[in-house]
Amino acid sequence: MKNVLAMLLAGAMVCTLTAGCSGKPSGAASGGGSTTAGGDETYTIKVGLILTTDDPQSVMIQKMADNLKETSDGRINMQVYYNSELGSNADLLETISRGANTMVWLDPAALSDYAPSYAAMYAPYTYDDPSQIQTIAYSEVGDAFYDEAAAAGLCAVNRMGAYFGTRHCLANKVLATPADFKGVNFRVPSTELWVKTFEALGANPTNIAFSEAYSALSQGVADGIESPFATLYANKFHEAVKELTLTQHFIAPNGLIMSQEYFESMPEDLQTMLTDACMRFNDEETKAQIDSDDTYKQKLIDEGVNIHEADVKALTEACKDVPNKFTWGSTYYPQMLELLGK
């Protein structure tokens, strides 16, 4: 995709320039630091994922955790938990905002109760390709989002600069036009931007936890769900519904969020080490998602999924007023479009 390599190089440059979340380190937050055999303080970070262990993104996060443990000589101990074992994303955000030594992997719109402007990065049909995510994440607009989150006690360690994938709709019928969405009970998270987006498309948004989505599809409580190819495949949603329409409604950024307080409790060298690892992760995750798209699309086809093209122009038109339903639609979003040359 255009400019991907250029943006990956830009991400590497940001990695060297960015020291991490604002603020100077204080003493270790309670419950976080422990001591190694050599006398150095160890900082444990519990990473809560709603994804399965074999989701490619879970694999990438575990790889980063292993590398950090090695490069920090065990002083950063990232422990990864899967399948919502530590709770939902909303549960984790609440504990993180209170200073817990946890981290969560989620989309910018999920921060709406803490840093509502970050949702602008997730507006439907905003990006033309994944490289543009980092154009926003590393800009002055991205800095404003980052500062808003920090003021709420959240540290966006990777500045929401990772590419989660391009999201498409898997349902019990083809969803190529807004008319097709009419009357469809579509599973969405309890995030206002997602609700407004699928209302604009014509669906009935249904708030169902990700951990309950498979059973909801199997039992007919929900008619459809959306995600990138790899996540759809890893969670076996295709066993319940078989019609996959390439709606491309979100070219989706994602971020690693931890407690600002806990981050600042870490020594400065560990802050830099953690930030640099997360910024490298942006580039590695983006490349991995792009490289794996065709593979997981074919896996779905091999499992009997039917692929359909969407009328993306009509869907884009249906969603054009979604940003205007939010304060950021008249402030940050126009600046984003200018940065993207739109």
Side-chain angles (χ1 to χ4, degrees), residues 7 130-140 142 336 339-340:
M7 289 312 303
S131 70
Q132 294 182 332
I133 290 170
Q134 292 186 7
T135 299
I136 303 303
Y138 302 156
S139 70
E140 290 186 4
M336 286 174 52
L339 286 168
L340 297 176

Side-chain angles (χ1 to χ4, degrees), residues 13-42:
M13 291 176 63
V14 171
C15 182
T16 63
L17 295 172
T18 306
C21 293
S22 59
K24 296 184 181 297
S26 58
S30 62
S34 58
T35 305
T36 66
D40 291 323
E41 192 115 37
T42 298

Side-chain angles (χ1 to χ4, degrees), residues 67-129:
N67 289 342
L68 264 172
K69 189 170 186 178
E70 180 179 352
T71 57
S72 69
D73 294 324
R75 295 168 66 203
I76 298 177
N77 179 24
M78 291 181 72
Q79 301 171 354
V80 186
Y81 298 80
Y82 309 94
N83 297 308
S84 304
E85 185 178 350
L86 295 185
S88 67
N89 286 346
D91 294 334
L92 287 167
L93 277 176
E94 185 176 351
T95 61
I96 288 168
S97 69
R98 296 200 302 262
N101 60 320
T102 49
M103 179 181 281
V104 64
W105 166 243
L106 44 63
D107 67 81
L111 300 180
S112 57
D113 289 340
Y114 303 89
S117 298
Y118 243 137
M121 283 191 66
Y122 216 72
Y125 297 107
T126 293
Y127 307 107
D128 295 325
D129 67 67

